[in-house]
Structure formats: C-alpha cells, structure tokens
Amino acid sequence: MTIDRANSALLIVAHGSTVNPDSSAPTLAHAAEIWRRKVFAEVACAFWKEEPSLRDALCLFDPKPIREVYVVPNFISEGYFTQTVIPRELELNGRITKRSSGQIWKYCEPVGNHSMMTELLLKRACEVAQDVSPAQTTLLIVAHGTDLNENSAVAAKREAENIRALAKYGDVLNVYMEEPPLVSDWKKLTKTPNVVVVPFFISDGLHSYEDIPVLLGIASERPVSNCRAERGEIFRHNPHRINGRSLFYAPSIGTDEGYRASSQI
Amino acid sequence: MPNLIEQALEAALVDRFYIGQILVRKTNGGGFVISHRDDQGRGDLKLFQSAEDAIDLTKFDDSGNYRPLKTAPNLQHGWRLQLAILDDLRRSLDYFYPGRLAIFVSWKSSQLQITPLRETLDRQSGMYRIAAKISDKQVNRVVGDFCRSDGGCLRTVLWKRDSRGTVASTRLPPEKFDPAFDQTLTPGSPPPATTPRLIPLLCQEPCNLLVAECRNVVKDETER
Ligand code: SF4
C-alpha cells in the first residue's frame, strides 16, 4: 500500500487499562518509533480505557493537511473490540469511511494478523533461550483461552501450526490459561529437556507477570508490586530449573521491539 | 493538528501559562520549562530533558499509585522538564494531558462535537450496556462525586446529562462548566492577584471511567 506521507496520519488503537501501568507502554513506544521514522505526517494513539479516548481521536487530525487516517488496532486478534467497540466509537462504517470534512479513515486489520507474527515469535524464542538447541526444545505459545472478547486462542493455534511446519523446534504447542491444553500441564505436555514459553499478549500485565508464572510453577502466588523493575523481574531468571529441565520464560510478544504497528499497512 | 496546536500554544505563551496542574514557561534562550504548579520556587527539582520523559512522570502519583485518569488532580511533584523546541512542548503536554490540546483547538474553532451522557450510555454494548439503566437521581450523585475538581477530575464539563440540555449534575458548582475558570481553585474564593493565562482541560464527552462508574451503580442496585 502506498501512503501519501505528507497528508496521512496513523492512529494506533489499543485497549489500555485503569489498573495496569504497563498496558499502554508498547503502544506508546510503537507510536514514538513510527513517528521517529517519519512514515506519516502525524502519529497518535487512542485507548478504550485510557486517554486520549477513542472519542477524543475523532478530533486529533486537522482535515486540511491530513486527508487520510490509517486506524491500526494494536490487538493480538480480531474480536469484540476490533469488530464492535472500535468501529462504533470511531464512527467507522467499514474498511473505508469518508468524514463530512472529506477526510478518509481507513480501518486496517489488527497487528496480530500480520504474517510477521510468526517470525517475531521465533525471534523472541531464540533470544530468550540463546544457547539451547531448538531440536531439544518445545515452544509453548500461551494465550488466554476462554476470553469471549477475543479470538486470540485461534490466532495462537494458527501461529503454533505455522512454526511447527518449519520443523525447527522439537515441538510447538498452543496452550491456554483457562482451557485445555492448559499451560499448567506443561510438564506432561512436553518431553524435551528445554521449554520456551512466550505469552501471546499485546502488553505485559497481570497475566504475564503473575498468572502464567504461577501456572508454570516459577512464581508463588504473592502479588507482584507496582514497581516497574520488580514487575519485570520474572523475565530475568532464565532458565528456571524444574525437575531437571530448563524452562525459559519470555515477556509478552507485543512488547517485542520488532513488533511495529506500521508493518501492518 | 500539530500546527494548529502550536499556534494555540504560541498564543498562550506570551510569557507563561497554566494547563491543569502544570506551569509552562518560556526561557530566554527560546526553550521551555514545565513543572508542577505547586513546585514554583523549589530548587530541588529533578531535571528531565526529553518530551518522552513525560510518559513516566504522568504515570504515578506522589505515593507511587497508578493514575488511570491523567486529568485527575494528583500529578506527581518534584520534577522539571526542560525542552528545546515547540514541537517537544506540544508532544510532552500530550503525554501529560492526552488529547486535551486537540480538543481545546477544536473547541476554539467551534468544531467540537459535544455528546450528552445519556447518548454515551445508550451507545454502550457488552458489559457496559447495563449502565444506561442508571436513574437521573443516581447520575446526579455519581457525576457530582466523580467529576468534581477537588479530588476527582480537573476537566471543565461541556456535556449535558441528556439531549434536553439538563445540567450534568446539580451537585457541581457553576464554575465546573466554565472554561474560563481555573479548576485548581476553590469556587467562590478570591482569585489570586496575578495569574498566567490558562488553557482549560475540556471534557466534551463522558469518559470511560465515568461510564464504568455508572455501570457499578446499576450493578450494585440490581444485586442488592
Ligand atoms: S467524565 Fe470528564 S470530567 Fe468526568 S471524570 Fe471523566 S474526564 Fe473527568
């Protein structure tokens, strides 16, 4: 897709959070990086649970210089937010919406749908467990599971299948927090001496800092503090030695530096 | 919007201006210094020099608690942000008070779309659909508590309760709806002798936090 740089803006839309201070971090970081690369005349973010809101976003771009706005949901998969909330709040009526000012809003697919996702998962797995042989390693991609809002379970399965087809890892499994195959059953589900776990989420938060580590057995149920350094502590103790096997735990895939929303369009 | 915003900032920046809890000053060298309004005259402020430093400065209050609403009157103290160019100033203010400058510019040019609370509530789906069931009496109380400037939110409320133009809450003072009023001051108290210009933080549509609060009220009621 060719973008008329001088007259186009990028709006990255994310969920945000009223309790998790790290929820918006990857989205803000992507926006700052894309702004630095000067791919668009303007780059902005909007959030469902933070500011600026999706409604605020309607006023962010002056229709005189900005003729086109590309809306990219920073979501791991299609779902309730990409299909219902974002179009409603941004008053979008399909892939292309023409405003009364003549400004065109183009609604793009969520970043998680991008074909680069498979590559990023491989990169992250490789970074977190640099000195192990992939053939001796099982890669676990952890999604939420019974989350009615998102189809992330389907997307995680698709990614696991893509990576399995490359025959690089000993095994590749999609596992879930709340439905089988359960991440807490990892010892039964995997046979290799090494296991790499990558959370399939946009940002780090309660699930990646606390819930999944507890389910894996690498953290106690003590809640993690709100201090940023402590929150990221769990990713700094690799490998975790359990029953003679090595378990490597990575941050959420959406926090990867290579994961740039601009690649979606 | 950056150009229009920069024009508005330049107009406000004869010398200095207030936006929310922030004081913005022009330096002799053509740069800008921003700090917490309460920190004027303090010599022990920690210096920051990148617009992006504002992301972390706005995240937590003085006690280290996460600030889900950036226009809440709990901006942390003790810092001083020095910026070289107008574009840095615009970007940093957009981290401190996301979207507020664009909304201000839209309002100034009479382009701002203002949405009544009932319309926002009626549009909700999923878990928030139930919020529309809130009674007028409950709205009056919730908005009066949640949006109040002392301890709630420093925005000036532009929206009405419904399409008939009912005031958002009779519990809020008339100053809460006046963009010329400095929301950090106590209504009715004598204004300070000299005050810099003011860029108001405008609320053109109830935020998601207020919608969630309305939902809680309805849920509590139905579960009782
Ligand atoms: S509705 Fe507006 S004034 Fe009330 S708390 Fe939310 S942002 Fe502040």
Side-chain angles (χ1 to χ4, degrees):
Chain A
M1 187 183 292
T2 347
I3 297 165
D4 178 3
R5 203 206 74 80
N7 301 306
S8 302
L10 171 68
L11 177 69
I12 310 177
V13 177
H15 192 278
S17 167
T18 55
V19 288
N20 171 16
D22 290 337
S23 175
S24 55
T27 305
L28 292 173
H30 298 331
E33 171 63 19
I34 296 164
W35 178 81
R36 196 189 61 74
R37 292 190 198 177
K38 309 242 176 288
V39 186
F40 293 90
E42 288 180 41
V43 181
C45 303
F47 300 93
W48 174 232
K49 294 270 186 174
E50 291 182 43
E51 300 148 90
S53 67
L54 296 171
R55 301 296 289 170
D56 289 338
L58 293 171
C59 298
L60 294 182
F61 308 104
D62 180 1
K64 280 202 196 92
I66 301 298
R67 304 307 297 152
E68 289 186 343
V69 177
Y70 291 82
V71 181
V72 176
N74 196 16
F75 281 76
I76 208 85
S77 62
E78 297 279 6
Y80 173 62
F81 288 100
T82 61
Q83 286 160 355
T84 305
V85 177
I86 297 173
R88 183 190 71 213
E89 298 292 293
L90 292 181
E91 299 174 6
L92 302 174
N93 37 38
R95 286 285 163 208
I96 294 185
T97 304
K98 192 168 183 179
R99 305 286 187 208
S100 55
S101 62
Q103 198 176 56
I104 309 265
W105 286 48
K106 295 189 173 170
Y107 191 32
C108 308
E109 283 183 48
V111 288
N113 274 11
H114 199 276
S115 54
M116 235 179 91
M117 190 55 127
T118 314
E119 223 174 278
L120 287 175
L121 284 161
L122 281 167
K123 175 174 159 278
R124 179 136 281 197
C126 184
E127 276 166 5
V128 76
Q130 289 178 354
D131 299 323
V132 302
S133 145
Q136 300 281 302
T137 305
T138 302
L139 175 59
L140 296 185
I141 300 171
V142 195
H144 192 276
T146 55
D147 191 340
L148 296 175
N149 289 336
E150 301 300 321
N151 301 322
S152 61
V154 179
K157 192 161 178 239
R158 178 194 68 217
E159 292 305 328
E161 276 163 10
N162 288 347
I163 298 176
R164 204 175 299 128
L166 300 172
K168 180 176 168 154
Y169 279 86
D171 202 357
V172 185
L173 302 171
N174 47 294
V175 290
Y176 304 113
M177 294 171 63
E178 291 186 353
E179 65 186 67
L182 286 163
V183 61
S184 52
D185 284 339
W186 70 272
K187 285 179 221 155
K188 277 188 269 167
L189 295 169
T190 62
K191 307 269 178 296
T192 53
N194 308 305
V195 176
V196 172
V197 183
V198 183
F200 197 60
F201 297 98
I202 284 292
S203 57
D204 280 322
L206 204 61
H207 291 331
S208 62
Y209 289 142
E210 294 178 30
D211 301 338
I212 298 171
V214 168
L215 293 170
L216 286 168
I218 58 172
S220 65
E221 303 225 1
R222 180 184 65 88
V224 181
S225 89
N226 240 351
C227 157
R228 172 172 287 175
E230 267 186 54
R231 294 197 309 273
E233 198 55 33
I234 190 72
F235 308 119
R236 284 191 276 274
H237 295 286
N238 289 320
H240 300 264
R241 301 285 303 167
I242 298 173
N243 297 354
R245 302 163 80 192
S246 296
L247 183 132
F248 301 80
Y249 184 54
S252 293
I253 189 63
T255 64
D256 193 282
E257 293 212 341
Y259 186 91
R260 291 283 176 254
S262 65
S263 58
Q264 183 57 31
I265 46 180
Chain B
M1 209 49 95
N3 289 343
L4 295 177
I5 290 174
E6 286 178 11
Q7 282 165 22
L9 288 176
E10 265 173 341
L13 258 175
V14 177
D15 165 37
R16 50 178 58 200
F17 69 86
Y18 284 154
I19 176 167
Q21 290 181 286
I22 286 178
L23 167 69
V24 180
R25 273 172 298 155
K26 224 175 176 168
T27 62
N28 291 337
F32 308 93
V33 174
I34 57 186
S35 60
H36 196 297
R37 284 167 65 162
D38 299 348
D39 288 344
Q40 286 178 68
R42 261 179 72 173
D44 59 342
L45 301 176
K46 191 166 174 209
L47 179 66
F48 295 89
Q49 288 178 300
S50 154
E52 272 62 42
D53 286 332
I55 297 176
D56 274 352
L57 289 172
T58 69
K59 205 166 261 182
F60 303 101
D61 65 13
D62 282 330
S63 316
N65 298 312
Y66 175 54
R67 300 174 68 231
L69 181 64
K70 300 291 180 270
T71 47
N74 57 359
L75 182 66
Q76 65 172 275
H77 295 80
W79 51 270
R80 177 186 144 98
L81 182 56
Q82 217 163 282
L83 301 164
I85 55 170
L86 195 59
D87 187 56
D88 287 344
L89 174 65
R90 179 185 62 77
R91 284 207 334 280
S92 71
L93 290 179
D94 223 22
Y95 292 126
F96 280 108
Y97 293 121
R100 292 308 99 200
L101 288 171
I103 299 293
F104 173 70
V105 167
S106 292
W107 174 73
K108 277 288 236 190
S109 57
S110 311
Q111 303 285 315
L112 189 61
Q113 184 185 320
I114 296 168
T115 309
L117 172 67
R118 286 284 174 203
E119 197 178 300
T120 305
L121 294 179
D122 287 346
R123 206 180 59 224
Q124 302 303 310
S125 58
M127 63 184 274
Y128 293 109
R129 194 189 293 276
I130 190 179
K133 293 197 171 144
I134 192 166
S135 71
D136 273 354
K137 204 170 149 205
Q138 288 167 325
V139 166
N140 204 47
R141 184 176 52 75
V142 172
V143 173
D145 281 350
F146 205 80
C147 302
R148 51 187 248 268
S149 295
D150 56 329
C153 174
L154 291 172
R155 291 198 209 180
T156 304
V157 171
L158 299 179
W159 45 268
K160 303 288 184 190
R161 189 186 304 177
D162 50 41
S163 53
R164 295 190 306 277
T166 313
V167 67
S169 169
T170 56
R171 291 186 171 210
L172 294 170
E175 288 86 346
K176 182 68 182 174
F177 310 102
D178 176 6
F181 184 76
D182 181 350
Q183 297 297 332
T184 66
L185 302 177
T186 312
S189 61
T194 55
T195 41
R197 281 166 188 251
L198 178 78
I199 294 187
L201 302 169
L202 302 175
C203 187
Q204 82 285 12
E205 173 160 356
C207 68
N208 194 281
L209 289 168
L210 179 62
V211 172
E213 196 60 24
C214 292
R215 169 184 180 264
N216 289 343
V217 169
V218 177
K219 272 197 80 186
D220 283 354
E221 174 109 318
T222 47
E223 279 163 14
R224 220 183 284 148

